Amino acid sequence: ATLAASQPAVRIAHRIFAGYLLVITVLVITVVVLSSVRLRQELDASEVSRITREARFIATQWEEGAASPDELANTAGRTLGHRVTLIDSTGRVTGDSEFDGAALTLLENHGGRPEVIAALNGGIGVSRRTSPSRGDDEIYVAVPGPRHGVARVSVSTAQLAGIARRARTDVLLSGLIALGASLLLSVAFARRLTRPIVELRDVARALAAGDFSRRPALASSGEVGELGAAVHSMAEQLVGRLQALQNEEALLAAAIESLHEGVIAVDSQRQVVRVNESARRILRLGNATPFPATQLPRDTVVRDALAAALAGEPGQRMETVIGGRTLAITARALRGGGAVLAFIDLTDTRRLEAVRRDFVANVSHELKTPLTVIGGFAETLVSDDIPIAQRRQFADTIRANAERMRRIVDDLLDLSRIESGGWRPAATDVDARTVADEIIGSLQRAGRGRGISFSVELPPDAATLHADPTAVRQIIANLVDNAVRYTPPGGRVTVFTRADIDGVWLGVRDTGIGISAEHLPRVFERFYRADPARSREGGGTGLGLSIVRHLVEAHGGRVTATSQPGEGTTVTAFFPDPIVTPS
């Protein structure tokens, strides 16, 4: 990250440095080239001027009766250190400081050389070319001499090239030194120029990354200083506005999450951008936002409501069932596109309404039968001509149905008191055997009349329950009474307990007719009977198992029921151990 952050600064410094390097390099190259060319020109001009004077001096020495031309050329060549050539008017070489004897006679005619032609025409001939006889690059200067001849002096350019090369090297070295010094100055200047820019870049990056504590230094002057002040002001305003947005967002999020209703926001691109926890729970959504609206439950009502809202149509409350839950759906269009869907879970409301209807119907039905019997037999008893024995029978029937109505009312009152929280268990240690023997003793007469036997199985580690004694007595009584009612003659009813890791299980097992699988999950509902006719014949109210469930749950426990048709039923209640708090 540090390397990446430094790259822009490096690029700026490199650009400035490269600019200076290019300018200085071009200047150095220009100076070296121009100075080399100029120096070479000056050296050539100076050398031509010098050897011109030498050639004129030699021409004046070449007179009638003087030494031979070859001796004169040799003497002048040794004295001057240059090649001296004397040429007659026909172009024949009569003397040369570097060739003697036979070699001299073998030299080709010089009448066609440019400098010789110019000199024979009365002027000064100057030319530069490669010498055929010596094989190097030379400068030739020829002047007219006596007897219509030409005195020529030639100089090799190798010496001049060496002088120019050394001069160019010196100039180049000086340029490199100047280049190095200039580059050091350019580096310092580039760093000084880019330092505030780099700082502004780092501050801008920190602000973009969410670090609002960074501020630029305001020591720079000029445009960079003004830019720093603008960034500082922008950061202050950004912090204030972002804080306001965060507060508003937090308030909105808290309000949405506190709703029991599910809320889903969909943007104009049909992307779900917000889902509160209630909506995730109701619709069982686990997708992280944003996600496509096509991943919402595939329900026609949901899709139609969303499509209508996205089209700008006014929303209407609709109901549907998703995943077994009854939901009310309301869709509203958002300004600028998008929609909000609100889901209200009506499952419990609809279930309670159904329970209320069933309860009223069941209570009405349960009370109507004994009331009808009581009313009918009471009207019959009004007649005077009924025998005494039959009157007694009618009176017993009225009393039995009145007792049944009393038990229904008592059970309803008990159930209402437990459900409303008006009853709290006074838990203490209860001897399960004492309670079981008491209940079985009160029911043995009815059981023996049908050939039903009773047993108690209480292991030592599960003989004591931590529960309300009255509740335990009522639980065992209801379970045993229910077992006796559904156990045929010759059957067996057993009260048992079983120790668990954090409590004790209390149960009643019978060898009765059993309960089929489709009825087993509902046996703890009020007035629910797997065999209604048999239950009413036995005098049951249909509230016993419901009372058992509520009493056990009031202790923090739970109840279970297992059964096989024709093999019997086992109902167990779990009572947790008391919580021991450290002293």
Side-chain angles (χ1 to χ4, degrees), residues 377 380-381 385-397:
F377 281 95
T380 304
L381 287 176
D385 55 350
I386 299 176
I388 297 298
Q390 197 171 10
R391 283 178 179 272
R392 184 178 293 110
Q393 181 184 356
F394 289 170
D396 288 340
T397 302

Side-chain angles (χ1 to χ4, degrees), residues 254-263 276-278 281:
I256 293 176
E257 291 299 331
S258 65
L259 295 175
H260 293 291
E261 294 78 13
V263 177
N276 70 346
E277 190 61 32
S278 296
R281 174 180 50 81

Side-chain angles (χ1 to χ4, degrees), residues 414-420 423 425 471 475 524-526 543-557 559:
D414 290 342
L415 192 59
S416 176
R417 185 171 68 254
I418 296 170
E419 287 183 337
S420 65
W423 178 82
I475 290 170
F524 294 103
E525 295 181 10
R526 290 174 291 187
L543 297 172
L545 289 181
S546 181
I547 292 174
V548 169
R549 177 172 66 87
H550 284 85
L551 288 174
V552 174
E553 290 178 352
H555 287 80
V559 293

Side-chain angles (χ1 to χ4, degrees), residues 17 55 91 93 124 131 139 160 192 256 262 318 377-378 419 455 472 486 491 513 531 537 546 561:
F17 181 80
V93 178
I124 299 176
S131 173
I139 297 176
L160 298 179
R192 181 177 179 182
I256 293 176
M318 296 175 286
F377 281 95
E419 287 183 337
S455 64
V472 173
Y486 289 96
I513 62 174
D531 188 354
E537 289 176 0
S546 181

Side-chain angles (χ1 to χ4, degrees), residues 12 193 217 298 311 342 368-369 392 401 416 429 450 541 553:
I12 294 175
L193 180 63
R298 296 183 178 275
K368 181 180 180 180
T369 300
R392 184 178 293 110
N401 281 275
S416 176
D429 290 337
R450 299 174 54 197
T541 64
E553 290 178 352

Side-chain angles (χ1 to χ4, degrees), residues 87 90-92 108-118 120 129 152:
I87 305 167
T90 63
R92 184 175 62 85
E108 64 181 7
N109 190 283
H110 283 34
R113 305 294 168 83
E115 67 278 8
V116 174
I117 294 174
L120 290 175
R129 66 179 179 275
R152 190 186 71 177

Side-chain angles (χ1 to χ4, degrees), residues 334-348:
L334 294 176
R335 184 185 305 172
V340 173
L341 298 177
F343 297 84
I344 302 176
D345 191 352
L346 301 178
T347 304
D348 293 339

